[in-house]
Amino acid sequence: MATSSGSMVTMTYSDIPANFHSTVLIKRDLCQLHGPPLVFVTSVVFSLRNSPTVKLSRRQHTEARFAQEMPVNAVSLRGVPLTLLAAEKEEAKAVLTLFLKKQGLSNAAAARTINKSDLFIEHLVSQLHSIHKSRYLVGRELTTLEIRDALIPYLENLQKEHGSNLVDMVENFPDTPAKLNITAETVSPNVVLDTKKLPDVNFKSRKLKAMARVSGSVPTEELPQHVIYLIELGMDLEEIQQVTRRFPAFAYYSLEGKVRPVVEFLLELGIPKSEIPIILRKRPQLCGISLSENLIPTMKFLESLGLDKKKWAKVIYRFPPLLTYSRQKLMSTVDFLYEMGLTVEDVGKILTRCPNIISYSVEDNLRPTAEYFSLLGIDITIVLQRSPQTFGLSIEGNLKPITEFFLEKGYSLEDLRTMIQRYGTLYTFSLEENLMPKWNFFLTMGFPQSELVKFPQFFGYSLEERIKPRYALVREFGVKLLLNQILSLSDSDFKKVLNRKLKRMQEKV
C-alpha cells in the first residue's frame, strides 16, 4: 500500500494477507512488525499519518497485539454521540474506582489513581464498544449494570495477572510494568477514531464540562431536558449540581431514555414525589438502569428471596443502591445468611428491614464479624436478625472497644452474651458519644450493675430527653422503680405508675 509522505493511512482487516501473522508494535519513534500471534489491543484507536520518522504522543503510544480471529463485521464508532462517550467514560471511571477500593485502596488513593488513568479509562471504553458492539449497531445505550458486568471480569483478569502491580499498570498504561495479556474481545483495527474530536479525558476537565451543562449561569430553557424535568419535579438545581459533581455522567443522561421512565416507575411504587430528589441524590446511577432488563427483574429476584414486595417504597428510600447490584453480589450475601443458619423468612425480613446489608463485603465484613462474635460465644443469628447493621461495623474500630469497655467495667462474657441476646443493637452505639456518658450517669442512679444486664435497652434511650428527666421525677416523688419501669413506659403510663407508687407510700404512712 503506497502513500505519499504525510498522507492518511487507514489499515483494515482486508489489508492484511490471510497467511500473514504478525504483531504491530507502535512505539514513540518507530513502527515495526514481528511474530505471531495475531491479537490487537489498544487504548485509543487512531489514524496514523505516514512520515519518514513516526513520533507519537503518549496518547497514541500503545503496545498491542493483533487478534487471532478478527471480526469481519467491525464496529464503527463514528456514529456514537460524544455525550454518550463522555457518559461511558464516567461510568467506566466509577467502576474502576470501586474496583480499586475493593483491592484495599483508600478513597484518596483511588482518586489519585483515577486522575492518572485517562488512557486506561479510554481503553476500558474500547472494551465496552467491542463486547457490546451489537448494541451500538442498533443505536442502543448500555445500562450501568451492563457496563459494570462487562468491565469487572476484565479488571479481575488484570488483577490476577498483575497482582500488586495493578495500580502501576493502570496509571502508566500503555507503558505497563508487565506485558498486558488481554483475553477479552477487543476493538477491530479497521475502527478509526479521530481523537481530536473526543471529549477531553482529563478528569478535572470532564468534571468541569459536566458541571457547565447544569450551571446556574445557563438560562433555564437551555439546560438539558432531564435537568429541567427534575427541577419541575421538585429537585433543586443546587442538588443536581451536587450529584453531577460526584457523578459527572448524570449530566449526560437522556430524559426519555433514562430519567423519566425511572422516576415514573418509582412514583408508581408509591414513593412520594418529595422523596424522589432524595433517592436520586443518594444513587443517581438508578437512572442509568434499564427498567425492563435490569431494574424490574432485580426486584422480582429479591422478592423471590423473601423481600416484602408491599414495602418496596420504604426499601428503596432506605437504600437506593440495592437495585444497582448484580445478582451475583445479591446471592453472595444471601448465601452467607443461609450459611449462618437463617431461614428464608429471616433473610426476607433482613432484606426488607436492612437492605444495605447487601453493600457489606462477605469476606471483608460479614464473615470476619461472624467469626468475632462466634469467638465471644454470641449467637450470630440473633445479631443478624435484630441488628444486621452491626455487621457493617469495623471490628477493630467499633466492636472490640465496646467488648473491652464492658469487660473493664466488671461484666463477664456471659453477661455480655445476655445483654446482646436482649438488645442486639448494643454494638451499634458510639462508645464515646453514647455508652460512656450514659454509663457515667447510670453510676449516679444507685442501681446495681446487674440492672444493665437485665435491661441493656437503657443505652438506647436519649440521655437528655428521656433518662435524666424521668429519673428526676422518680427522685422528686421519692419512689423506687426498676430501670425498665422508668424508661420503657409511655409518658401517661409512667405518670400512672408514679402516682400509684406515691399513693401506696402515703397509705403506709
Side-chain angles (χ1 to χ4, degrees), residues 130-178:
S130 174
I131 295 171
H132 289 287
K133 56 182 175 291
S134 61
R135 296 295 180 94
Y136 293 94
L137 289 174
V138 297
R140 176 155 177 214
E141 297 180 24
L142 296 178
T143 66
T144 298
L145 288 179
E146 288 172 331
I147 291 174
R148 185 187 59 203
D149 290 344
L151 294 183
I152 286 181
Y154 177 69
L155 291 171
E156 288 174 344
N157 286 336
L158 292 181
Q159 170 64 25
K160 290 178 182 179
E161 179 178 353
H162 295 277
S164 60
N165 291 328
L166 178 65
V167 172
D168 288 337
M169 187 276 293
V170 170
E171 292 181 357
N172 297 294
F173 187 87
D175 303 322
T176 58

Side-chain angles (χ1 to χ4, degrees), residues 309-484:
K309 62 181 179 181
K310 297 178 182 179
K311 297 182 179 180
W312 266 118
K314 290 183 178 180
V315 170
I316 293 174
Y317 181 77
R318 287 172 184 162
F319 190 61
L322 178 65
L323 298 179
T324 64
Y325 287 101
S326 66
R327 291 195 180 188
Q328 181 181 3
K329 170 58 179 169
L330 296 174
M331 279 310 304
S332 66
T333 300
V334 170
D335 286 342
F336 169 81
L337 296 177
Y338 289 149
E339 182 185 335
M340 294 298 104
L342 296 178
T343 64
V344 174
E345 183 180 0
D346 292 332
V347 171
K349 289 179 179 179
I350 291 174
L351 292 177
T352 304
R353 189 162 53 89
C354 184
N356 53 309
I357 194 173
I358 295 296
S359 66
Y360 306 155
S361 167
V362 172
E363 299 306 324
D364 297 337
N365 299 106
L366 300 180
R367 195 173 302 283
T369 301
E371 292 173 353
Y372 176 73
F373 283 135
S374 180
L375 289 174
L376 296 179
I378 294 174
D379 192 329
I380 300 169
T381 59
I382 289 179
V383 182
L384 281 169
Q385 289 171 331
R386 299 180 182 177
S387 182
Q389 62 269 31
T390 301
F391 283 72
L393 300 173
S394 164
I395 294 176
E396 297 298 329
N398 301 99
L399 306 185
K400 284 186 177 180
I402 290 177
T403 299
E404 293 168 359
F405 171 78
F406 284 107
L407 294 179
E408 289 172 358
K409 301 306 179 185
Y411 293 97
S412 65
L413 278 177
E414 183 60 34
D415 291 333
L416 191 56
R417 295 184 197 111
T418 302
M419 293 168 76
I420 290 297
Q421 288 175 348
R422 292 176 175 173
Y423 193 50
T425 60
L426 187 62
Y427 273 95
T428 64
F429 296 123
S430 166
L431 180 59
E432 292 77 12
E433 298 178 7
N434 188 308
L435 300 184
M436 292 179 67
K438 292 176 182 177
W439 167 261
N440 291 333
F441 185 77
F442 173 79
L443 295 179
T444 69
M445 299 175 73
F447 290 104
Q449 289 192 189
S450 59
E451 194 72 9
L452 287 179
V453 178
K454 298 176 184 177
F455 189 66
Q457 291 89 342
F458 167 82
F459 293 102
Y461 292 99
S462 169
L463 180 59
E464 299 299 330
E465 297 180 9
R466 186 84 163 192
I467 299 175
K468 287 184 177 181
R470 288 282 183 96
Y471 183 65
L473 287 174
V474 170
R475 293 189 62 184
E476 180 183 341
F477 276 70
V479 299
K480 290 185 178 180
L481 293 177
L482 298 175
L483 195 59
N484 180 18

Side-chain angles (χ1 to χ4, degrees), residues 1-66:
M1 180 168 56
T3 60
S4 60
S5 178
S7 63
M8 182 68 73
V9 178
T10 302
M11 179 177 289
T12 65
Y13 181 67
S14 60
D15 293 324
I16 305 174
N19 61 351
F20 185 71
H21 297 276
S22 65
T23 298
V24 174
L25 293 181
I26 304 176
K27 297 294 186 181
R28 295 185 191 275
D29 298 317
L30 56 95
C31 182
Q32 62 183 24
L33 302 175
H34 65 83
L38 205 64
V39 178
F40 181 76
V41 177
T42 180
S43 63
V44 180
V45 185
F46 56 89
S47 298
L48 175 65
R49 290 187 179 277
N50 185 27
S51 59
T53 303
V54 180
K55 292 187 177 181
L56 306 177
S57 66
R58 182 174 180 271
R59 177 177 301 282
Q60 296 168 322
H61 175 184
T62 182
E63 182 174 15
R65 288 177 279 181
F66 280 126

Side-chain angles (χ1 to χ4, degrees), residues 91-105 107 110-111 114 144 148 152 155 247 283 285 324-325:
E91 296 271 17
K93 179 168 68 68
V95 172
L96 180 59
T97 300
L98 291 175
F99 186 81
L100 293 174
K101 289 167 67 175
K102 187 177 180 181
Q103 309 312 310
L105 269 69
N107 290 336
I114 293 298
T144 298
R148 185 187 59 203
I152 286 181
L155 291 171
F247 187 65
R283 196 66 167 181
Q285 292 92 329
T324 64
Y325 287 101

Side-chain angles (χ1 to χ4, degrees), residues 207 210-218 223 226-227 230-231 235-251 281 284:
K207 187 173 180 180
M211 290 299 298
R213 290 174 62 84
V214 298
S215 171
S217 61
V218 177
L223 289 169
H226 71 290
V227 173
L230 292 175
I231 291 175
M235 195 170 184
D236 294 337
L237 180 59
E238 185 177 347
E239 290 179 319
I240 297 173
Q241 292 169 348
Q242 291 174 354
V243 169
T244 304
R245 191 174 291 110
R246 290 186 293 105
F247 187 65
F250 189 72
R281 190 168 62 244

